[in-house]
Amino acid sequence: MSLSHAIMTALLDEDLSGYELAKRFDVSLGFFWSASHQQIYKALKQLHESALVSAKDIDQQGKPNKRIYALTDSGRKDLDTWVLGETRTKPAKDELLVKMYNIGRSDLDQIVAKIEVRRGEHVLKLALFRKIESRQYLDPENLPLRKKGVYLALQAGILQTETSIRWCDDSLSLLKR
Amino acid sequence: MSLSHAIMTALLDEDLSGYELAKRFDVSLGFFWSASHQQIYKALKQLHESALVSAKDIDQQGKPNKRIYALTDSGRKDLDTWVLGETRTKPAKDELLVKMYNIGRSDLDQIVAKIEVRRGEHVLKLALFRKIESRQYLDPENLPLRKKGVYLALQAGILQTETSIRWCDDSLSLLKR
DNA sequence: CGGTACATGTAATCTGTTACATGATTCA
DNA sequence: TGAATCATGTAACAGATTACATGTACCG
């Protein structure tokens, strides 16, 4: 399960609770590796049992108590091994593209509407990416090496999102009329 | 399960056996919706039980016998409903992008090598897409509506693959030296 | 003789989703 | 008063992967 490795990657920078990790997986890292809080809590439990992360319970007043997790040395080692190992990619599953094969039989207008919705979502996503970029990554050449990787992941998101918007535009202009 | 809908979509054009469907899911449709033969046989069984597809056993000499599946009217109806319904997309899970966050701690060269491998894979994939394009989709404006959808799905593949290659190039030039 | 293509499956396991559960605090 | 945020989980189910199983024919 490489969700555990994504979690450990998130723990490189800061110690986090399950709840905080779930939020990271909603943005940033989550753009490239999505996970629900249920998955995350379960994975954390296993990581803790394998001693790849350590846990500390924090009492809070006014809020529920929480458990903060931190990478252990053996967690770091495990991460290193994973980074060097086989790298797998699970391609996206996009119902819209399958639906495109159905154009002509079913209602064209409805599919056009779906493409427009898709376009809107990607425009929002791109704006978010650009915001992050302009706040933290204006001068990529002079970033420390560690940050260059994060910057490049962000660029992947930006490029793919721009491409999706372009595809929506091309599709709309071919299908409309 | 919308694997069944992807299968029914593949059956729009021709009647196919499980084995032949599995091959389609290895290329073409499979670029947007991947599935193993085990998944496909299982889904076909269920589709048949629900009478969304019909099956015909074909005796062959020299080869194993096979079952050819065809869409039924109620399968067509079910597909129509699905096309108009909610459209979900599961974003790709890309270990390489998670590994990018680890640059700086672990070996840079190894990650650079992985990006080069990725680039090579995408170059091959693009060549394949371009071949399909040049054989069947040279004049998109004048395609029948039904084929325009398939053409646009192919374009999505082409654009995304080109973008990935560009990302590899950008990354290599930022990380090398 | 070994590999690939043809052809269809079962079983176990791993991952991911949906639904449910609890409960305090803060903001509108 | 109701929704959102903080915080952590369990249970059932759905979907996907890996391993295993079987057997012919054809090509080099």
Side-chain angles (χ1 to χ4, degrees):
Chain A
M1 182 178 36
S2 64
L3 168 58
S4 6
H5 295 107
I7 289 175
M8 288 193 273
T9 297
L11 291 177
L12 278 172
D13 287 318
E14 355 160 41
D15 300 344
L16 295 166
S17 67
Y19 186 82
E20 290 160 341
L21 274 162
K23 278 196 298 178
R24 296 290 184 289
F25 275 82
D26 240 41
V27 288
S28 110
L29 238 200
F31 291 123
F32 319 114
W33 201 280
S34 57
S36 63
H37 76 272
Q38 292 93 333
Q39 273 180 282
I40 291 169
Y41 283 117
K42 206 177 157 196
L44 280 170
K45 205 176 164 186
Q46 285 165 213
L47 283 169
H48 189 230
E49 278 160 13
S50 324
L52 300 173
V53 301
S54 62
K56 192 161 52 167
D57 288 305
I58 308 280
D59 291 337
Q60 299 189 116
Q61 69 277 55
K63 291 180 196 178
N65 297 339
K66 61 179 176 178
R67 304 200 96 192
I68 298 285
Y69 292 92
L71 255 190
T72 62
D73 287 343
S74 94
R76 273 205 173 70
K77 237 168 258 167
D78 189 86
L79 236 196
D80 286 341
T81 309
W82 174 75
V83 168
L84 301 180
E86 205 200 345
T87 304
R88 298 191 205 183
T89 295
K90 210 160 287 217
K93 292 208 166 169
D94 191 342
E95 291 192 348
L96 184 55
L97 291 178
V98 178
K99 290 184 179 185
M100 295 299 286
Y101 282 70
N102 287 273
I103 287 181
R105 288 180 41 269
S106 55
D107 221 338
L108 178 63
D109 296 346
Q110 312 252 206
I111 290 182
V112 164
K114 283 177 192 307
I115 298 173
E116 278 162 349
V117 169
R118 166 71 54 94
R119 191 185 187 285
E121 289 162 359
H122 282 282
V123 165
L124 284 178
K125 201 172 165 186
L126 182 59
L128 184 54
F129 282 144
R130 288 291 185 202
K131 200 165 155 187
I132 298 172
E133 189 189 32
S134 67
R135 293 219 178 135
Q136 300 176 50
Y137 302 100
L138 278 178
D139 188 13
E141 298 282 345
N142 295 313
L143 249 25
L145 188 55
R146 167 97 181 70
K147 279 274 163 186
K148 280 185 183 173
V150 181
Y151 165 77
L152 287 170
L154 178 65
Q155 287 306 307
I158 290 175
L159 288 172
Q160 291 297 339
T161 307
E162 284 176 339
T163 299
S164 297
I165 295 171
R166 189 147 22 94
W167 177 80
C168 291
D169 290 337
D170 293 352
S171 299
L172 291 171
S173 80
L174 186 68
L175 294 177
K176 270 185 167 175
R177 113 206 59 146
Chain B
M1 182 177 39
S2 64
L3 168 58
S4 7
H5 295 108
I7 289 175
M8 288 193 272
T9 296
L11 291 177
L12 278 173
D13 287 321
E14 355 161 41
D15 301 343
L16 295 166
S17 68
Y19 186 82
E20 290 160 340
L21 274 162
K23 277 196 298 177
R24 297 290 184 290
F25 275 83
D26 240 42
V27 287
S28 111
L29 236 201
F31 291 122
F32 319 114
W33 201 280
S34 57
S36 64
H37 75 272
Q38 293 92 334
Q39 274 179 283
I40 290 168
Y41 284 117
K42 206 177 158 198
L44 279 170
K45 204 176 165 186
Q46 286 165 213
L47 282 169
H48 189 229
E49 279 161 11
S50 326
L52 299 174
V53 301
S54 61
K56 192 161 49 170
D57 288 305
I58 309 279
D59 291 336
Q60 298 187 117
Q61 70 277 56
K63 293 180 194 176
N65 297 339
K66 61 179 176 178
R67 304 201 97 191
I68 298 286
Y69 293 91
L71 254 191
T72 61
D73 286 342
S74 94
R76 276 206 170 71
K77 237 168 256 165
D78 189 86
L79 237 196
D80 286 341
T81 310
W82 175 75
V83 169
L84 301 181
E86 205 199 345
T87 304
R88 299 189 204 185
T89 296
K90 211 161 287 218
K93 290 208 169 170
D94 191 342
E95 291 191 349
L96 184 56
L97 291 177
V98 178
K99 288 183 179 183
M100 295 299 288
Y101 282 70
N102 287 272
I103 286 182
R105 288 178 41 266
S106 56
D107 220 337
L108 178 61
D109 295 346
Q110 310 253 205
I111 290 182
V112 165
K114 283 177 192 305
I115 299 173
E116 278 161 349
V117 169
R118 166 69 55 94
R119 191 185 187 284
E121 290 161 358
H122 282 282
V123 166
L124 284 178
K125 200 172 167 186
L126 182 59
L128 185 54
F129 282 145
R130 288 291 186 201
K131 201 165 153 186
I132 299 172
E133 188 188 32
S134 68
R135 292 217 179 137
Q136 300 175 49
Y137 302 100
L138 278 178
D139 187 14
E141 298 282 346
N142 295 314
L143 249 24
L145 187 53
R146 169 95 180 71
K147 280 272 163 186
K148 281 185 182 171
V150 181
Y151 165 77
L152 288 170
L154 178 64
Q155 287 307 306
I158 290 175
L159 289 171
Q160 292 296 338
T161 307
E162 285 177 339
T163 300
S164 297
I165 295 171
R166 190 150 18 96
W167 177 80
C168 291
D169 291 335
D170 293 352
S171 299
L172 291 170
S173 81
L174 186 68
L175 295 177
K176 269 186 170 174
R177 114 206 60 146

